Amino acid sequence: MSSNLPSISPLFVRYTQMASATWMLICCTAGATRAQTSGAVAQTRTFARVQLLETEAVTSAGVSLGDLDRDGDLDIVLAKGRHWPLHNRVLRNNGRGDFMAESLADSADRTYTAALADLDGDGDLDVVVSNDRPDRKLVYLNDGTGRYRVGTTFGQPDWSTRYVTVADVNGDKRPDLLVANRSGNPAAPKPSYVCLNDGAGAFPVCRPLATQSATIIVAADLDGDGHVDLFVPHRDGGQNLIFWNEGSGSFSAEPTKVGPASSAIRAAAVGDLDGDGRLDIVVGDQKAGLFFYRNTGQRGFADPAPFGDPKRSPYSIAIADLDKDGHLDMVVGNDEALGAIYFGIADRAAGGQPRFRSIDWNDGKGAVYGVALGDLNGDGWLDIVAARSDAPNGIWWSDADRKR
């Protein structure tokens, strides 16, 4: 089936610092990408084969992929808890898609994010754990072998924190933290925060953003000036905001309002979806479905265009070129409904609008709070990892579609 739908950005974000060190975040909501083929041969893919990572269904909220122990393959970190304390889990990959599981720490947390980045500049991936109140927000430092200890805290324990995004907003070659805080009470809005890296992996200074209620923050250069801007979707009935970076990690100018006066957005991502060199925005509104915001340049965005099934409630979005045809594909995880994969196709609709062939994926159980894409078994194809609440977490493997 083909449809006139916009494409999206991935939740695979790689910040390259230098040849010997990479910052990496793969999570559920934020990202920016353009399709790259690298001479690969396109092939139709299917994601019907599943490997459950656990036997029980608990409240997981996020998933990150990265080479924690520097053995050349992607490991998995599962963020668990949300409002109820659970142990975050590390799953070590043997390179063939088999995993040994252990807890990240001895203590249980109310976690939404376990984001990966080289925070202290020593060449390995550390873990940022964003916890809901009243838990401390924690940074775990890697000892170089994929073993972790608490290095520091950030923010305040009483923040109602949801997801944290990692990005260098002040240009010092160290990743900073963008902390999304939620308030379900319009009369008591909650600011989100930009927590700056001191260069050694600590975050002593957190500057407020004048938000009201957010669960995610998307970091990307939306106006093409070389600085990372912030798209903050509203979670609880207000309007989305874009904070423009003034070049040194300062966001003091009045933010731009984007989209309708009322939104309930859980997921968002950015990418050059129409191939015009500007990053567009896609959001998943819990009540209204998926929407595409085309970047028109000069800090302007077109009115949101709906796409997909409005009856499904999107909780997570990830984008990458899954079939290596040079067009971005989109993976959407929903609440108590089948997910959708939108494969970008070459034909364009009127006005250059991207078009897709869509298929369903997963079993429709639970709420898919987090989606990450990565090659977990070394076959050269991106697989799907889903973090779910009220259903077991799992991997949906990429296989050649022999029926097409």
Side-chain angles (χ1 to χ4, degrees), residues 62 152 161 190 209 215 221 261-262 309 333 353 398:
T152 187
T161 300
K190 300 288 187 183
L209 292 170
T215 56
D221 181 6
S262 179
D309 185 350
Q353 186 90 329
S398 177

Coordinates of all heavy atoms in Angstrom, one line a residue, residues 62 152 161 190 209 215 221 261-262 309 333 353 398:
G62 N 12.3 3.5 27.9 CA 13.3 3.9 26.9 C 14.3 2.8 26.6 O 14.5 1.9 27.4
T152 N 28.0 11.5 39.1 CA 27.5 12.7 39.6 C 26.0 12.7 39.5 O 25.4 11.8 38.9 CB 28.1 13.9 38.9 OG1 27.7 15.2 39.5 CG2 27.7 13.9 37.4
T161 N 10.9 14.8 35.9 CA 11.6 14.7 34.6 C 11.1 13.5 33.9 O 10.8 12.4 34.4 CB 13.1 14.5 34.9 OG1 13.6 15.7 35.6 CG2 13.9 14.3 33.7
K190 N 5.8 23.8 34.5 CA 7.1 23.4 34.9 C 8.2 23.8 33.8 O 8.0 23.4 32.7 CB 7.2 21.9 35.1 CG 6.2 21.4 36.2 CD 6.6 21.8 37.6 CE 5.7 21.1 38.6 NZ 6.1 21.5 40.0
L209 N 14.3 26.7 30.8 CA 13.6 27.0 29.6 C 12.2 27.3 29.9 O 11.6 26.5 30.7 CB 13.7 25.9 28.5 CG 15.1 25.6 27.9 CD1 15.0 24.3 27.1 CD2 15.5 26.7 27.0
T215 N 7.6 16.3 27.7 CA 8.2 15.0 28.0 C 9.5 14.7 27.1 O 10.2 13.8 27.4 CB 7.2 13.8 27.8 OG1 6.7 13.9 26.4 CG2 6.1 13.9 28.7
D221 N 19.8 21.7 14.4 CA 20.0 23.0 13.8 C 18.8 23.2 12.8 O 18.9 22.9 11.6 CB 21.3 23.0 13.0 CG 21.6 24.4 12.4 OD1 20.8 25.3 12.6 OD2 22.6 24.5 11.7
A261 N -2.9 25.4 19.0 CA -2.9 25.9 20.3 C -2.9 24.9 21.4 O -2.4 25.1 22.5 CB -4.1 26.9 20.5
S262 N -3.3 23.7 21.0 CA -3.4 22.6 22.0 C -2.8 21.3 21.4 O -3.2 20.9 20.3 CB -4.8 22.3 22.5 OG -4.9 21.3 23.4
D309 N -2.6 6.5 10.6 CA -3.9 6.2 11.1 C -4.2 7.0 12.4 O -3.6 6.8 13.4 CB -3.9 4.7 11.5 CG -5.3 4.2 11.9 OD1 -6.2 5.0 12.2 OD2 -5.4 3.0 12.1
G333 N 6.0 3.4 17.1 CA 5.4 2.5 18.1 C 4.2 3.2 18.7 O 4.2 4.4 19.0
Q353 N 6.1 16.2 -2.0 CA 5.8 15.5 -0.8 C 6.2 14.0 -0.8 O 6.0 13.3 -1.8 CB 4.3 15.5 -0.6 CG 3.8 15.0 0.8 CD 3.8 16.1 1.8 OE1 4.5 17.0 1.8 NE2 2.8 15.9 2.8
S398 N 15.5 -7.7 11.3 CA 15.3 -7.4 9.9 C 15.7 -8.6 9.0 O 16.8 -9.1 9.2 CB 16.2 -6.2 9.5 OG 16.2 -5.9 8.2

